[in-house]
Every structure is written in structure tokens, then in C-alpha cells.
Amino acid sequence: MENIPLEFNLSHSGDYAICAISDDEVGCDIEKIKDVNLKIAKRFFSEEEYNNVLKDNKLFFRYWTLKESYLKAKGIGIKGLDNAKIDIESLTLINDDKYHLYELNIIDGYNIALCLSNNENYEYKIITSVIIYSINTLESKLYFNYTSENKTGK
């Protein structure tokens, strides 16, 4: 099993940092929940997403972390934020079924999102781990460990 690819992604906000590690495309984001900036929502969210945020401000950070984790997994950065459209109820991307979205509700006052590639032609098992670090205490903990079996044998 030589040359197994290793992908990782980092994010930090407030008192925490997150590291997601996988053998396929992976993106993660963590955001400390604070006051919502509706100008950012208006600029980067679809009309439907923006209207949802107007009804419930808590959705802002859900949308933001999910979108950012997706863009980081794709490797395109924040420039594509307004093109990443999400169905918040089903945690699915509109017009891109190559990726799966997850929300990790593990730290009060923070939104954490993870995006994994849905690569059907992978050669190895997909193994993904997420480690959360407390910047204040320098403690770390494994919070998410996902393994799926080889589907194609290629």
C-alpha cells in the first residue's frame, strides 16, 4: 500500500483549533458563534439562504462553516463561497454530489463542519479523523473517526 495519499485541513476560531485528516479530499471549519454580520450573508449567500438567516440568525454560522468546509475540500478557497449552495435541512450540496457534509455539535458556542469527498473510485479505505485542540489548555481530543470499506477493489 505505497503512495497512499494523505490530505489534511486546519481551521481555528476563538479558543479552539481543528485538524481533519483523510486519505481523500477533506475540508473543515470551526467558527465561534458571535453577532451575525448580515452584510456578509447578503453578499455570499443565495437569496434563499439569506432569507433563512433573516428568520433565524443561528443559521448564519451553520451555512458559513458548511460552505467553507466544502470550499476547502475542493481547494478553491473563499472566492467560491457565493456559488456553494446548501440545503440546510438535508446537509446536501445543491449541484455537487461528490461531497458529503457533516456538522459536529461538540463544543458549546461553536459551529464545526466537515466535508468529505464521495469518491466512488478510491483504491483504499477512506479514513477520516478530526482532532479538536483547546488553544488555552493545549489539550486535544479525537472527536470523529470515520472509516468506509473499499467499494471498487481498484
Side-chain angles (χ1 to χ4, degrees), residues 42-55:
K42 180 76 170 169
R43 179 174 178 205
F44 291 111
F45 292 0
S46 71
E47 184 177 344
E48 179 181 351
E49 292 166 345
Y50 177 71
N51 288 333
N52 287 341
V53 169
L54 289 177
K55 294 176 198 169

Side-chain angles (χ1 to χ4, degrees), residues 124-146:
Y124 306 105
K125 294 193 292 188
I126 303 299
I127 302 169
T128 303
S129 297
V130 175
I131 303 166
I132 306 288
Y133 298 94
S134 170
I135 295 168
N136 289 333
T137 65
L138 301 180
E139 294 177 3
S140 64
K141 185 173 181 182
L142 177 67
Y143 278 97
F144 182 86
N145 200 21
Y146 172 81

Side-chain angles (χ1 to χ4, degrees), residues 1-20:
M1 292 179 61
E2 295 179 23
N3 300 319
I4 297 174
L6 181 64
E7 302 279 338
F8 70 94
N9 196 249
L10 303 170
S11 181
H12 75 281
S13 181
D15 296 332
Y16 293 92
I18 182 173
C19 177

Side-chain angles (χ1 to χ4, degrees), residues 3-72:
N3 300 319
I4 297 174
L6 181 64
E7 302 279 338
F8 70 94
N9 196 249
L10 303 170
S11 181
H12 75 281
S13 181
D15 296 332
Y16 293 92
I18 182 173
C19 177
I21 304 165
S22 182
D23 58 353
D24 205 348
E25 296 170 312
V26 63
C28 64
D29 190 40
I30 182 171
E31 292 291 336
K32 184 175 182 175
I33 298 170
K34 51 190 180 236
D35 291 336
V36 172
N37 185 334
L38 292 175
K39 289 180 184 177
I40 291 175
K42 180 76 170 169
R43 179 174 178 205
F44 291 111
F45 292 0
S46 71
E47 184 177 344
E48 179 181 351
E49 292 166 345
Y50 177 71
N51 288 333
N52 287 341
V53 169
L54 289 177
K55 294 176 198 169
D56 182 358
N57 282 352
K58 294 176 188 173
L59 291 176
F60 176 87
F61 288 101
R62 289 186 66 199
Y63 279 121
W64 186 270
T65 56
L66 290 163
K67 286 173 175 267
E68 192 162 337
S69 69
Y70 166 64
L71 297 173
K72 290 168 81 176

Side-chain angles (χ1 to χ4, degrees), residues 68-107:
E68 192 162 337
S69 69
Y70 166 64
L71 297 173
K72 290 168 81 176
K74 285 188 72 157
I76 61 174
I78 201 166
K79 65 183 177 188
L81 195 63
D82 53 344
N83 293 323
K85 302 207 181 351
I86 295 173
D87 179 334
I88 202 76
E89 296 301 317
S90 64
L91 290 182
T92 57
L93 292 153
I94 298 168
N95 298 326
D96 193 341
D97 60 0
K98 182 184 174 193
Y99 296 90
H100 290 291
L101 296 171
Y102 301 89
E103 290 185 297
L104 307 179
N105 300 310
I106 51 181
I107 302 174

